[in-house]
Amino acid sequence: MRIRSRLLLLVLAVLIPAVLGAAIAAAYIYDEEQQFHHTSMREAARAMALALDREMARREAVLRTLTASFSLRAGDLERFHDVARRVAQDSGYTIILSDLQGRQLLHTGKPYGAPLGTMLPMEREFRARFGNEPTLISDVYGPPTGQGPYYFAVELPVRRDGQVAQFLTLSSSTAQLQALLTQQHLPARWHATIVDSAGVLAARSEDADKFVGKPVRPELLRKIRANEEGFHEGSTLASVAATAFFSRAPRSHWTFLVSVPDSMLHGPARRAIALLSAITLLLLGLGLVTAIMVARRIARPIESLREAAERLGRNEPVAAQASGTLELDAVQEALVQASERLRGSQAELERRVRDALAGYEESQRALLQAQKLEALGRLTGGIAHDFNNVLQTLTSGLQTLKRQAPEAQQALLGRCQRAVARGTELARQLMAFGRVQEVRRETLDTTARLSDMRALLNGALPTHTQLDYDLVPGLWPVAVDPAQLELALLNLVINARDAMPAGGSVVLRGSNETVAAPRPDLAAGDYVVLTLSDTGEGMKPEVMAHALDPFYTTKEVGRGSGMGLPQAYGFARQNGGTLALESEPGQGTTVRLYLPRARQPLPLRPAAHTLPGLPPCKGRVLLVEDDELVRETVSTALAAAGFDIETASSADEALHRLDGGERFDAVLTDVVMPGVLSGLDLAQHVLQRHPGTGVVVASGYSEHSTQLAGVHALPKPYDLQQAVDALNAAVAG
């Protein structure tokens, strides 16, 4: 059978059943249209009821936040009035504090101290019925004068010592609920209504001024009270025939209604059925005519397509031949394009492979650099740990000798102490690079902190070198150790100074940047970028390759330790950021410090206070230190200061002695210890089992924070005065 005959049979086989099915489809479409509208109304009403509950929960959350206010708990009502008034002004609320007898104690709509009234009758009825514990979500009520907008309130009990002492009420106009209706973006001519638990309108998407405060029709109110949700057919308050679906909010017990006029609910479906019937009949006639015409013209182009496909299979060029049929011409054009793509695919594939290999090699280089710096960090951190023990022995020994040495030897001992101080600074730089130094993070106002540091950074530059600031307004806060931030920027400024022996300019820029996609050395997120640029000599590529290596320096002997850039890099990595270098010979150097944006709010400045005086040096102290030299030297120095010193070589031994009945006024322990327990474990055991014993923790290298409640911390190496002060404070505490 020829293709033309087959096409005619196919068209008839499709169109004849289609005509018979059109009648069935019309009835089905009408039913589906009604079900669709009902489903849409149900889902919209349910979603809006939940949104209404979320709105009530948000107001309750505001009250819970206010009940936790320090001024309210302290009974400072005047100060709490200021706090509540600011919250109320920002949000358009009225906040009222009442006592258990219903007397209002403060009202944000009135000056503090002005005469106040009593709580609403509905509030008193609710408390009399349900008690003081539940949260009240009131019905709609009008102003006392009877003129003006309608209101509703959320009331939360305020507890003190586990008992309800007062009530905090958040009152707001029902007009604020209009925004909730606007946000839903309902279809045109759909009406949304919010009804309180008594059946009074609180908000309406149309004619709110006319209907808010009026009760719904009695038949609808009976359905609402009998069911949590359902459909209602009737007329609106505006006397428009409509179908409504209502859904009661589970928390507030208010009801959300979505109503659709009957003319909109049934009219489109009926018009669609009529249009569908007309189109079906028209298509039946057009289909028969078109099938005959297409069948005559399609045979020849199909044969041309077969020939083109054979040429494509042989990888020969395919020429386009117009047939007059769009689909066949589109297939012909696709065959032509496929032929062209096949001939160029090999070159494109090779280019993509080269690009992929280049990207892989770049990522591999970044990974190797990160692994190298990580290994160097661990190595330098380990060296710093052992070096700190050596410095601690020297510090304690020199201070003990200085107290006993004659005047003639004081100068020599002083020089030795200064040498030890230089070694201490070097060890701290090593720890910063190794990312193991204890960090005392604070949430800082970045702009204010950088402004405070300007004098310090200027002091590191000669008079013929200028320092300029370029800080964008609204720099995000960062959570870092302030001392380490100062040290990192000071090291960068000193490096810039040394790169400009003839003078120049240094610019410190601050900006906010969002990293959308993660990088090999930086996670995605918000960062404050501190950029330090100089006009110095710049760095050659071979110098750039080693610029972040510890102790690598191109300066003269005695002019630099090679730890400036490594310290800044370690500081950035320790805080979750990174450091990026850009430099060219003769073009200067640019260093970018990426520091994560702090998510905690800026702390309030604490009020100044005076620490109490420390008692004289006395008490029995257990010194826990695994390094024999440190243990012997520190115990001798502390004994000379007046303490009764006992020693232990491990935390396990110290805990055994304490649990065995020995009594000590204080324990001074290192953090990293041999055995099962670390110094931090020992400190926690002492706090739990021996609360009368003070604890001082000394740490020069630890991956654990020593900031424990009730524990005094000493950074290694510490001098004798620091140890004496910490032990005196621990014994006194």
Side-chain angles (χ1 to χ4, degrees), residues 15-32:
L15 290 180
I16 291 175
V19 173
L20 297 177
I24 300 174
Y28 178 78
I29 289 174
Y30 181 81
D31 183 66
E32 285 295 308

Side-chain angles (χ1 to χ4, degrees), residues 412-492:
L412 176 60
L413 291 174
R415 288 192 292 272
C416 292
Q417 286 183 311
R418 288 195 294 274
V420 171
R422 289 182 61 186
T424 300
E425 185 61 32
L426 179 60
R428 286 177 180 167
Q429 290 177 334
L430 286 171
M431 287 187 289
F433 178 78
R435 286 174 283 155
V436 294
Q437 186 179 21
E438 174 135 358
V439 177
R440 299 184 183 275
R441 287 189 177 91
E442 300 177 15
T443 300
L444 305 179
D445 183 337
T446 309
T447 302
R449 195 71 186 188
L450 293 177
S451 299
D452 293 342
M453 293 170 53
R454 186 160 192 161
L456 172 67
L457 301 181
N458 259 322
L461 295 173
T463 56
H464 58 279
T465 301
Q466 180 180 352
L467 174 64
D468 294 320
Y469 270 37
D470 182 13
L471 308 179
V472 300
L475 271 181
W476 292 329
V478 294
V480 298
D481 186 326
Q484 287 195 19
L485 175 62
E486 291 181 0
L487 178 60
L489 291 178
L490 186 60
N491 281 334
L492 297 180

Side-chain angles (χ1 to χ4, degrees), residues 52-344:
L52 177 61
D53 262 3
R54 285 196 297 272
E55 177 66 19
M56 297 299 183
R58 185 178 66 81
R59 296 165 186 268
E60 184 177 350
V62 172
L63 291 176
R64 292 194 182 279
T65 302
L66 288 173
T67 59
S69 170
F70 175 79
S71 55
L72 178 59
R73 292 182 176 275
D76 188 352
L77 296 185
E78 183 173 2
R79 184 177 179 184
F80 178 71
H81 181 271
D82 293 338
V83 174
R85 182 169 53 81
R86 288 195 297 271
V87 174
Q89 288 177 346
D90 293 341
S91 306
Y93 303 147
T94 299
I95 297 174
I96 304 169
L97 182 67
S98 308
D99 60 16
L100 296 181
Q101 287 72 39
R103 294 188 298 271
Q104 295 182 0
L105 303 178
L106 62 83
H107 191 297
T108 59
K110 300 180 180 180
Y112 181 77
L116 303 175
T118 60
M119 66 169 53
L120 296 171
M122 68 173 64
E123 295 179 275
R124 291 196 294 270
E125 293 174 4
F126 179 87
R127 294 304 173 191
R129 183 178 178 185
F130 297 104
N132 296 333
E133 295 294 333
T135 298
L136 163 66
I137 299 177
S138 77
D139 291 328
V140 173
Y141 60 91
T145 61
Q147 298 294 328
Y150 286 86
Y151 297 87
F152 69 98
V154 178
E155 183 178 276
L156 191 71
V158 180
R159 294 177 174 80
R160 288 195 183 91
D161 301 325
Q163 300 295 325
V164 176
Q166 295 166 333
F167 300 108
L168 192 61
T169 306
L170 189 152
S171 174
S172 56
S173 169
T174 57
Q176 294 187 0
L177 297 177
Q178 293 297 132
L180 185 63
L181 300 181
T182 304
Q183 293 170 1
Q184 306 308 315
H185 302 293
L186 292 175
R189 300 180 63 192
W190 283 37
H191 298 160
T193 306
I194 299 176
V195 179
D196 67 11
S197 61
V200 176
L201 266 71
R204 196 172 189 267
S205 59
E206 290 188 5
D207 299 328
D209 295 338
K210 182 178 179 181
F211 295 109
V212 168
K214 294 185 177 181
V216 299
R217 296 190 184 276
E219 58 272 18
L220 175 59
L221 181 60
R222 286 193 295 270
K223 283 189 177 182
I224 291 176
R225 288 179 172 174
N227 305 281
E228 292 187 356
E229 62 180 24
F231 284 97
H232 173 74
E233 295 182 357
S235 61
T236 65
L237 291 178
S239 300
V240 176
T243 299
F245 184 85
F246 61 87
S247 179
R248 188 188 307 159
R251 180 180 180 85
S252 62
H253 300 292
W254 285 27
T255 303
F256 219 115
L257 291 93
V258 176
S259 59
V260 181
D262 289 346
S263 60
M264 180 181 179
L265 192 63
H266 304 295
R270 292 169 180 169
R271 289 192 295 271
I273 291 173
L275 180 61
L276 177 62
S277 300
I279 291 175
T280 301
L281 294 176
L282 179 62
L283 289 179
L284 177 61
L286 291 177
L288 291 173
V289 174
T290 304
I292 296 171
M293 296 175 61
V294 171
R296 292 175 178 176
R297 300 181 59 184
I298 201 171
R300 183 173 53 81
I302 287 179
E303 181 64 22
S304 299
L305 288 178
R306 183 186 62 79
E307 295 174 357
E310 291 178 351
R311 288 194 296 272
L312 180 64
R314 296 191 295 268
N315 201 18
E316 297 175 356
V318 177
Q321 296 180 2
S323 65
T325 303
L326 294 178
E327 290 79 3
L328 295 177
D329 288 346
V331 174
Q332 185 77 30
E333 181 64 25
L335 290 174
V336 173
Q337 294 176 359
S339 176
E340 295 174 353
R341 286 197 299 270
L342 283 175
R343 293 197 301 272

